[in-house]
Amino acid sequence: MLISEYERKIVRKICDEIIKHDRFFLTTHQVPDGDGLGCELAFSIVLRKLGKQAIIVNEMLPSAIYSFLPGYSDILPIEKYPEIKLIPDAAIIFDCSNKERIGRPLSFIPESVAIINIDHHQGNTQFGHINWVCENCSSVGEMCFFILEELNCVDKEVAECLYVAILTDTGSFRHHFDTRTIRIAERLLSTGINPESIADHIYNSYPVSTLKLLGHALVSLQYDMDLHIAWTVLDEQMLMETGAFEQDAEIIVDMLRSIGNVDFVFLVKERKNEIKFSLRSKKGFNVRLIAEKFGGGGHDGAAGFSMTGITLTDAIEKFLRYLKKHQSKRQVENG
Ligand code: 5GP
Ligand code: MN
């Protein structure tokens, strides 16, 4: 049995809610990743097959490495949304621990709509009218599988989107997954999707600009062997010089993670109004606890936070000062 009694009930409740509504607004967190995007696309395919209308609106367009997925080209840039005359009666929010993580699309969700919140982050604020938060789930893709299967709608196209959600959020089945994840992946593969071709799209299709950006990031690599950390920066100049997009920067933080003998790694991104930290743990180290100290959150193995009103250099200094000050406590917290 893949699903618990509680899960069966909440899945049924979500399906009943979906059946009741006609016009859906689908969104995920800022800088959409494979998990949020895969769920949005899977739902939009299914909702349309059920004769409903669905629109995907994100803070920014997802990385072009996902452009092979069915429905990707229908995703509207946020600027175009006001031209669309769709007044939603329901919104499904994927992979967001709180409403603010949605960014600008939040302002397009009318007060009156039914909000369905599907997430796998610890500390989710339960901001929906219906909330399903599964902290032990590898990905929201894993959760959406149960909903879409209950609706009897997991065909090859839907399976491809859900497989990408699970593949990317587990770092290609390297972290935060269990036997249930593998069983779901097996069910998705049994629809006839091609895992090798999908992996080729996801991991071998970067634009040259992304690799150039990675080059800049690696040149700026720093480490502190006393603190057992390594980090690098992505400033606006690097993005401008290479012509790369922040959406394509996931490869950089993954590359940092491949460094041995550190507790965790982090990437610091300079944005217009904030400095964004992306933390990735090593050896089971808990980075969520650190991110929460700075008002952020995430998973034990991957977390983030931002600082505002501060320069890139000062933000890094502030963070390093904190780490130095709390080094012994940090070791205790992480056992
Ligand atoms: P990333 O580093 O890829 O932006 O995020 C890693 C994980 O941390 C994701 O699960 C993401 O949702 C979460 N995360 C990143 N930044 C924030 C933040 O500012 N607040 C919260 N609550 N979660 C964050
Ligand atoms: Mn996720």
Side-chain angles (χ1 to χ4, degrees):
M1 195 48 93
L2 280 182
I3 189 165
S4 71
E5 208 39 53
Y6 166 74
E7 288 172 325
R8 188 170 299 289
K9 276 196 192 128
I10 187 82
V11 163
R12 195 57 250 165
K13 195 168 166 192
I14 292 172
C15 291
D16 290 345
E17 194 68 21
I18 287 171
I19 290 161
K20 266 199 262 169
H21 296 281
D22 293 312
R23 297 174 307 279
F24 288 81
F25 186 98
L26 310 176
T27 192
T28 181
H29 51 79
Q30 301 164 54
V31 196
D33 60 13
D35 191 22
L37 174 68
C39 295
E40 289 174 335
L41 291 174
F43 263 81
S44 107
I45 293 167
V46 168
L47 291 169
R48 285 175 196 178
K49 278 192 186 141
L50 294 174
K52 299 169 187 296
Q53 287 177 278
I55 183 139
I56 298 173
V57 185
N58 294 323
E59 170 75 30
M60 58 175 76
L61 285 176
S63 167
I65 61 167
Y66 300 112
S67 60
F68 70 102
L69 284 174
Y72 177 93
S73 55
D74 297 339
I75 300 179
L76 277 184
I78 187 165
E79 293 72 25
K80 294 253 186 255
Y81 180 73
E83 294 168 21
I84 305 294
K85 302 282 177 269
L86 179 100
I87 298 172
D89 57 4
I92 313 181
I93 320 292
F94 303 100
D95 209 24
C96 288
S97 51
N98 57 56
K99 269 206 281 197
E100 292 65 42
R101 298 273 303 135
I102 298 170
R104 287 180 294 161
L106 180 61
S107 65
F108 300 137
I109 304 175
E111 288 280 325
S112 57
V113 308
I115 292 182
I116 303 172
N117 163 20
I118 309 174
D119 183 35
H120 67 141
H121 288 95
Q122 208 164 321
N124 183 292
T125 58
Q126 310 271 329
F127 57 85
H129 297 101
I130 298 181
N131 302 283
W132 183 22
V133 180
C134 173
E135 291 163 13
N136 295 328
C137 288
S138 68
S139 51
V140 182
E142 183 170 329
M143 303 167 72
C144 289
F145 166 77
F146 292 115
I147 302 169
L148 300 179
E149 190 173 67
E150 179 73 14
L151 292 168
N152 234 331
C153 286
V154 180
D155 60 10
K156 196 171 166 184
E157 277 193 322
V158 170
E160 190 164 50
C161 300
L162 295 181
Y163 183 81
V164 164
I166 296 172
L167 181 76
T168 54
D169 245 32
T170 58
S172 305
F173 301 101
R174 279 179 298 176
H175 45 77
H176 199 234
F177 70 100
D178 55 21
T179 50
R180 183 163 93 161
T181 321
I182 298 294
R183 290 207 191 106
I184 295 170
E186 185 199 353
R187 297 268 277 274
L188 297 173
L189 289 173
S190 72
T191 62
I193 58 171
N194 182 339
E196 288 173 13
S197 148
I198 293 173
D200 205 36
H201 279 293
I202 302 282
Y203 300 110
N204 302 329
S205 305
Y206 287 105
V208 170
S209 57
T210 303
L211 275 287
K212 289 199 166 163
L213 189 67
L214 175 65
H216 278 287
L218 293 182
V219 166
S220 309
L221 180 70
Q222 310 237 30
Y223 56 91
D224 184 320
M225 280 310 150
D226 293 330
L227 290 173
H228 299 280
I229 54 171
W231 72 95
T232 193
V233 297
L234 247 193
D235 61 27
E236 290 196 315
Q237 179 79 16
M238 294 176 187
L239 287 173
M240 232 162 52
E241 267 179 30
T242 57
F245 297 103
E246 193 190 322
Q247 296 93 305
D248 294 325
E250 190 70 21
I251 187 179
I252 296 172
V253 78
D254 279 345
M255 204 71 195
L256 289 186
R257 208 179 211 166
S258 66
I259 299 171
N261 202 25
V262 287
D263 289 341
F264 72 96
V265 295
F266 62 96
L267 172 66
V268 194
K269 292 180 269 190
E270 182 182 40
R271 291 189 185 152
K272 270 198 186 67
N273 310 314
E274 62 178 10
I275 307 295
K276 179 87 206 170
F277 285 71
S278 277
L279 279 52
R280 296 293 183 270
S281 85
K282 302 280 316 257
K283 305 183 278 190
F285 195 87
N286 189 333
V287 285
R288 179 179 51 78
L289 295 173
I290 297 177
E292 282 174 354
K293 295 276 189 307
F294 288 86
H299 304 290
D300 294 355
F305 63 89
S306 46
M307 291 189 199
T308 51
I310 192 165
T311 64
L312 184 70
T313 319
D314 288 351
I316 295 171
E317 225 165 75
K318 187 173 170 185
F319 188 50
L320 293 178
R321 247 196 333 266
Y322 170 87
L323 293 177
K324 274 182 197 139
K325 193 167 162 204
H326 294 87
Q327 191 179 13
S328 46
K329 187 163 169 275
R330 193 179 102 199
Q331 280 154 355
V332 173
E333 271 175 354
N334 271 281

